[in-house]
Amino acid sequence: MVALVQRVSRFEKQMDTRFEKFIIHHPFWGLFLIFIGLPLTALAVVGLCATIAALAMAFMFGWI
């Protein structure tokens, strides 16, 4: 379990470093991703999960 936590921590640090370099080299695209891309991605994931949950409930109760 400790090895998994260390691996995830190392991956997180690598991604943070890469994203920081990206923002330094491309400030416009970095801000675009932070303020538009990430919120839209989060909304899409929430919508997808809600749709899957609603379809599962519909199938369980025989509405579809």
Side-chain angles (χ1 to χ4, degrees), residues 16-34:
D16 190 40
T17 303
R18 288 178 185 174
F19 194 66
E20 185 178 349
K21 286 180 183 179
F22 180 80
I23 289 177
I24 289 171
H25 291 297
H26 308 286
F28 173 75
W29 289 112
L31 290 174
F32 181 79
L33 282 174
I34 291 171

Side-chain angles (χ1 to χ4, degrees), residues 43-61 63-64:
L43 283 173
V45 169
V46 169
L48 182 67
C49 290
T51 302
I52 290 170
L55 283 174
M57 294 282 290
F59 281 122
M60 281 193 300
F61 291 117
W63 296 334
I64 292 181

